[in-house]
Amino acid sequence: MSDNRITAYADAAFGIARAEGALAEVEDELFRLGRIYESNEELRSTLTDPRLPAARRQQIVEDLLDGKATAATVAIVSMIVGAGRSADLPRIAQDLVKRSASQRGEVVAEVRSAVALSDDQISRLAAALRTRTSLDVTVKNVVDPSVMGGIVTQIDDSVLDGTVRTRLNQLREAF
């Protein structure tokens, strides 16, 4: 899908979330759903299966999110799935998160770790990144079991790799 369409869907989602007074919640829920979508082959294949009617795919999403997401998030995801744009859900969510952070004067730091970071760890990490980059930072934590220890932080095109694996490789190369 072209970036213009991604942007258009993200703009629509942003407008709906803001109008509902649920921008922060929708931003977080869409971000998490985008990551779940990327990591779950069964969910991806079901939501992109052209043999399933759009209404059935929408019902699957609504059932999946029932009680776990705001009504605005459910409506936005249902709209995206109904339009046949399920495969673009992660990019739409990412665009929405960036737009929302930009409106707050912040940048988004996607932090991958083996386990979920606590609120305190996220706050301390945001403060450290703010000091290092001179930018206000919104931290989005992604649990990634392939990270064996430490974290990988990405802000736009910059990647800070503080994983144990990378440090061991650096030591190996040094000796």
Side-chain angles (χ1 to χ4, degrees):
M1 180 199 287
S2 74
D3 287 342
N4 290 339
R5 288 190 186 167
I6 298 276
T7 301
Y9 279 96
D11 286 348
F14 182 87
I16 292 167
R18 190 170 59 185
E20 293 293 319
L23 184 57
E25 294 89 354
V26 170
E27 173 189 339
D28 189 55
E29 291 167 352
L30 281 178
F31 176 81
R32 292 184 190 286
L33 183 60
R35 294 305 172 256
I36 290 168
Y37 179 90
E38 288 178 325
S39 66
N40 188 315
E41 175 60 37
E42 183 179 1
L43 180 62
R44 276 195 318 272
S45 64
T46 300
L47 294 182
T48 57
D49 186 348
R51 296 170 296 175
L52 283 177
R56 177 66 185 126
R57 289 179 292 190
Q58 287 174 298
Q59 188 61 53
I60 290 168
V61 165
E62 291 166 13
D63 291 346
L64 179 70
L65 296 178
D66 186 38
K68 297 176 185 132
T70 62
T73 298
V74 174
I76 290 165
V77 175
S78 184
M79 172 189 69
I80 292 167
V81 170
R85 301 296 180 193
S86 300
D88 299 310
L89 185 60
R91 289 182 56 206
I92 293 167
Q94 185 176 27
D95 198 319
L96 171 69
V97 168
K98 284 184 179 180
R99 178 175 176 166
S100 182
S102 177
Q103 182 186 18
R104 294 188 306 268
E106 300 174 346
V107 295
V108 177
E110 186 173 299
V111 177
R112 294 186 176 279
S113 58
V115 296
L117 300 177
S118 69
D119 290 340
D120 180 57
Q121 289 171 316
I122 289 173
S123 295
R124 288 186 293 136
L125 181 58
L129 290 169
R130 187 177 310 111
T131 299
R132 183 171 181 158
T133 64
S134 300
L135 300 168
D136 286 329
V137 178
T138 295
V139 174
K140 294 292 185 182
N141 186 211
V142 176
V143 176
D144 182 351
S146 72
V147 175
M148 303 250 184
I151 60 172
V152 177
T153 304
Q154 182 170 352
I155 301 174
D156 293 325
D157 293 334
S158 299
V159 177
L160 304 168
D161 190 339
T163 60
V164 171
R165 178 179 294 156
T166 297
R167 289 183 181 162
L168 289 173
N169 287 339
Q170 289 169 341
L171 282 171
R172 192 173 311 138
E173 290 173 9
F175 294 100

